[in-house]
Amino acid sequence: MSTALPSLGFAGIGLMGLPMCRRLLAAGYPLTVWNRSPEKCAELVAAGAKLAHSPAELSRGSDMVLLCLADTAVVREVVFGEQGVVHGGRSGQLLIDFSSLEPTATREMAAEVAALCGMAWLDAPVSGGTPGAEAGTLAIMVGGEPSDLERARPILLTLGQRVTHMGAVGAGQVTKACNQMIVACNALVIAEVVALAERSGVDATLIAEALAGGFADSKPLQILAPQMAESRFEPIKWHVRTLLKDLDGAVKFSREQGSATPVTALAAQLMRLHGSQGNLQKDPATLVELYRNKE
């Protein structure tokens, strides 16, 4: 006996949201989409999705509301604004937030949503970038009630290869902050390595191959080092501004918790310097330009 799939509303059709929605449609989920710039929804509507004209309308027509938005301020506006999700929300609904947000703000918003309309909240930030979103191989770290996660698990496994319950609401965002700390610091060191190799007369395009399988190996090394060495900065798969936002959030949260994160704080300042040179909307592979000889 077949069971009808829950209807999904997805807000945020960007670099990650678009391929995630493609996968949900391909899996047969009834999908309604909303984006601040509605033209970004055109491909999905042509593929069978419905278009909502506000987050409230999106929420009213969906069993579960999925968010993949830029930052905490945007999520707060989409959820609590004049035509926000809560105005169409109801008890029994589930909000799944794939965005990377501040953990403290996530906990506060989840409590407020529950009080206003009874919706449950899962914070489910993802790692794996656009290639992972396209292939359905994202790593998804989840905070929330175990029963809510079980309701959402089939959807999450359509989008990712690994779903890990990290604890109560907000725990997913703490885990994502840890992820971004490692990724960003790694990216900055890889940029230094590539620039040093180039300046020393070593073929930097061979660095990733030479270090593969050793203790220095990592996915960022295998992806970023060749791109940096070849100055291959497009197509853009993620943005410098995203890493900077996440680093700033990690430093802020660590301060709230009384935890020392000096390396992450330095990484945030280096990322800010790079962004201030016109690179906020560019791929982090451009970080190598910080260290290249500009003479």
Side-chain angles (χ1 to χ4, degrees), residues 10-14 33-42 51-55 58 67-84:
F10 200 109
I13 313 302
V33 293
W34 175 86
N35 195 74
R36 197 179 303 275
S37 305
E39 62 273 10
K40 292 187 177 181
C41 300
L51 180 65
H53 296 94
S54 70
L58 185 79
L67 309 180
C68 191
L69 300 166
D71 54 35
T72 301
V74 174
V75 169
R76 185 174 281 115
E77 173 61 26
V78 168
V79 174
F80 300 106
E82 185 178 347
Q83 290 293 317

Side-chain angles (χ1 to χ4, degrees), residues 90-107:
R90 59 192 180 275
S91 180
Q93 272 184 311
L94 184 59
L95 186 152
I96 306 171
D97 184 22
F98 297 116
S99 319
S100 296
L101 307 186
E102 300 168 23
T104 302
T106 288
R107 291 166 178 158

Side-chain angles (χ1 to χ4, degrees), residues 215-291:
F215 273 14
D217 198 12
S218 66
K219 282 188 176 180
L221 177 70
Q222 294 301 323
I223 293 170
L224 286 173
Q227 293 176 350
M228 290 176 174
E230 299 166 17
S231 297
R232 180 161 39 90
F233 304 143
E234 293 184 352
I236 297 170
K237 296 171 295 304
W238 47 329
H239 294 112
V240 168
R241 62 174 167 79
T242 301
L243 272 183
L244 175 57
K245 178 262 295 183
D246 290 342
L247 286 172
D248 281 341
V251 172
K252 178 183 177 184
F253 184 68
S254 71
R255 188 166 58 246
E256 293 170 355
Q257 301 303 306
S259 184
T261 51
V263 175
T264 301
L266 175 58
Q269 292 305 315
L270 290 169
M271 201 71 65
R272 196 178 327 281
L273 173 63
H274 186 56
S276 71
Q277 297 170 350
N279 297 302
L280 284 174
Q281 303 297 329
K282 295 182 180 179
D283 194 282
T286 58
L287 284 166
V288 70
E289 297 293 296
L290 269 175
Y291 304 109

